Amino acid sequence: MGRKRAPSGSRQRSVGASPTTGASTRRRSCTSLPPTVVPIILSGGSGKRLWPLSRQDHPKQFQSILARTSPFQETCLRLADGIFASPVVIAHEDHRFLIAEQMRSLGLTAEAIVLEPGARNTAMATLVGAVLAAEDEPDRLLLVTPSDHRILDPHTYRQAIATGIPAAHHGAIVLFGVVPDRPETGYGYIEVSPGTDAIRSVMRFVEKPERRVAEDFVDGGRHLWNSGIFLMSARTIIEAAERHCPEILAAARSAHAGAQRDLDFTRLAAPAYRALPSLSLDHAIIEKAAELRCVPLEVGWTDIGSWPEVWRSADKDPDGNVTHGDVHCTSSRNCLAYADQGTVSVVGLEDTIVVATGDAVLVTSMSEAQSVKDIVARLEDNRRDEAVRHRRVLRPWGWYERLAAGSGYQVKWLMIAPGASLSLQYHRHRAEHWVVVSGSVEVTIEGAVSRLHENQSIDVPVYMPHRLANPGEEPAFLIEVQSGVYLGEDDIVRIKDVYGRAE
């Protein structure tokens, strides 16, 4: 993505420029290398500036914000033909079933879905991917890309990647810089060598410039937005890590060596991750490396990182308004109104963002929208559910939605997908009562199996082992009423589970 970093003044760093041809002291023959590039898709972000739509349990890369498919799915699709092998996806362990389902719905498979036990930014994730790829072929090319970008011209994007392949085969790290169309102060910039070559030398990096400086960059034509997309061989990035951040590389190797298989996923060893500080690939390696090249990109690129970016990228009505859902705008200009549920009416506003979900509403000016992350931080400090999950919570077997809650009770609406089943489990503090609304389910209670149909119900006492399953071909919908002294989601003791969650 356009590198959104913590403010650091006007720090700039020059890098040693070398010829555009990519002549390297480590020149390698590429005649025996496979013709494919392995995408390393980084999907660990939480998207706090897109709250309340983006939340910890279901972040922005998995949300269908600007299209029918999510940014993660769009990333997978544009890397699903031509020179690309099956991707390696690196993501937080809590999102594993989201990733698997979103890929399955597209008919795509991953070479590996690697699960991080905690967020440690892009340096650690990239090196884990490189260590994994280097097992088979150290000189295999890797395309490291975030999963939350929008690219309107995937064909030209793939051509740009192909342009960088020869330099990457010869030991360079190839960056992809977006040709700016405005003086953006929220992105990092790459200054490249003058000229019109399809691939340029990298001269220096500039972080988040002031507006006047950004305007000069746009006028000068030699500064590009840093997209955060990189092409290089596994050997190149590992050797660079040995020089510039050996402690992160050692942790990546340790996390990979201790990884365990979990269904279709690879769980990295946790101790190596948790011992490291969070550091971006840019700061850890890229800005310190000497042999860098950059391919200019003009592909309709957007980093969907904030609500103003969503507004800027979406189709607008004659008054400049962007709407989604059941929205009505009157006497309003240049607004974004997003209704995930319910009706939203916007009257007499300008440059305003209104986002409504089932349990939260955000209203902010365009100019202050970057501060949404501060609201999320406050909600997290107060342990509010609204920072973490939506009212409808996705599960590998379907979903549940909270309908009502009070002292000693909670009511949920459940959908169990065809062929799916919940874990065999029990609760220490709550009893449950199920009513089938539509479809039919198979209920197991302390070993006894029965079939429930529409309008039938059953009780599950405290401590009683039980399981719900849907053996049919249509979704099953139920109302669940919980009662007890404690109703938290952590009051689940799993005995058996087809999704590998049993204790």
Side-chain angles (χ1 to χ4, degrees), residues 36-76:
T36 50
V37 175
V38 179
I40 306 293
I41 300 177
L42 307 181
S43 187
S46 58
K48 292 181 179 181
R49 286 174 300 161
L50 281 174
W51 184 88
L53 189 64
S54 177
R55 305 197 189 181
Q56 183 177 309
D57 278 4
H58 197 170
K60 63 178 180 178
Q61 60 266 35
F62 305 116
Q63 298 276 0
S64 301
I65 301 173
L66 290 171
R68 292 186 177 181
T69 49
S70 70
F72 171 78
Q73 289 176 308
E74 290 182 2
T75 301
C76 293

Side-chain angles (χ1 to χ4, degrees), residues 491-502:
D491 182 26
I492 299 176
V493 180
R494 293 186 174 92
I495 303 167
K496 293 181 180 179
D497 183 63
V498 297
Y499 309 108
R501 300 171 300 166

Side-chain angles (χ1 to χ4, degrees), residues 197-401:
D197 293 339
I199 184 167
R200 318 267 191 91
S201 294
V202 175
M203 310 306 293
R204 63 170 181 161
F205 297 92
V206 182
E207 293 191 36
K208 293 184 177 181
E210 297 178 354
R211 184 170 184 82
R212 178 188 57 79
V213 176
E215 290 172 350
D216 291 341
F217 286 173
V218 175
D219 292 339
R222 285 179 52 184
H223 290 81
L224 310 172
W225 292 336
N226 185 353
S227 69
I229 302 170
F230 307 100
L231 177 69
M232 64 271 170
S233 72
R235 185 191 303 274
T236 293
I237 196 66
I238 288 173
E239 289 179 355
E242 288 172 342
R243 291 192 297 275
H244 302 302
C245 56
E247 71 288 351
I248 299 179
L249 177 61
R253 284 172 166 158
S254 177
H256 175 257
Q260 295 184 340
R261 196 72 178 163
D262 179 1
L263 300 177
D264 294 329
F265 311 106
T266 299
R267 286 184 177 273
L268 297 171
Y273 251 78
R274 293 171 179 158
L276 281 180
S278 177
L279 198 61
S280 71
L281 181 65
D282 298 74
H283 289 327
I285 296 176
I286 303 301
E287 294 179 1
K288 301 173 183 176
E291 194 168 343
L292 302 177
R293 303 291 179 271
C294 184
V295 177
L297 281 181
E298 291 188 87
V299 294
W301 175 93
T302 304
D303 171 15
I304 311 172
S306 66
W307 286 114
E309 286 289 351
V310 173
W311 174 84
R312 189 176 289 116
S313 304
D315 294 333
K316 301 171 182 63
D317 69 15
D319 293 318
N321 298 312
V322 172
T323 62
H324 174 90
D326 189 5
V327 169
H328 307 274
C329 288
T330 302
S331 302
S332 299
R333 297 179 63 253
N334 301 330
C335 293
L336 185 151
Y338 195 105
D340 186 46
Q341 294 185 30
T343 300
V344 168
S345 296
V346 178
V347 181
L349 296 179
E350 291 189 13
D351 303 320
T352 301
I353 295 166
V354 181
V355 182
T357 65
D359 59 351
V361 176
L362 168 71
V363 181
T364 178
S365 65
M366 289 280 183
S367 61
E368 293 296 324
Q370 299 292 342
S371 299
V372 171
K373 63 182 184 297
D374 299 331
I375 297 296
V376 178
R378 189 180 305 172
L379 292 172
E380 290 174 337
D381 289 343
N382 293 328
R383 300 182 180 275
R384 294 288 297 267
D385 253 8
E386 292 87 351
V388 178
R389 59 185 62 88
H390 287 272
R391 180 172 290 175
R392 177 172 292 185
V393 179
L394 302 180
R395 287 289 182 257
W397 45 262
W399 49 257
Y400 71 81
E401 182 171 333

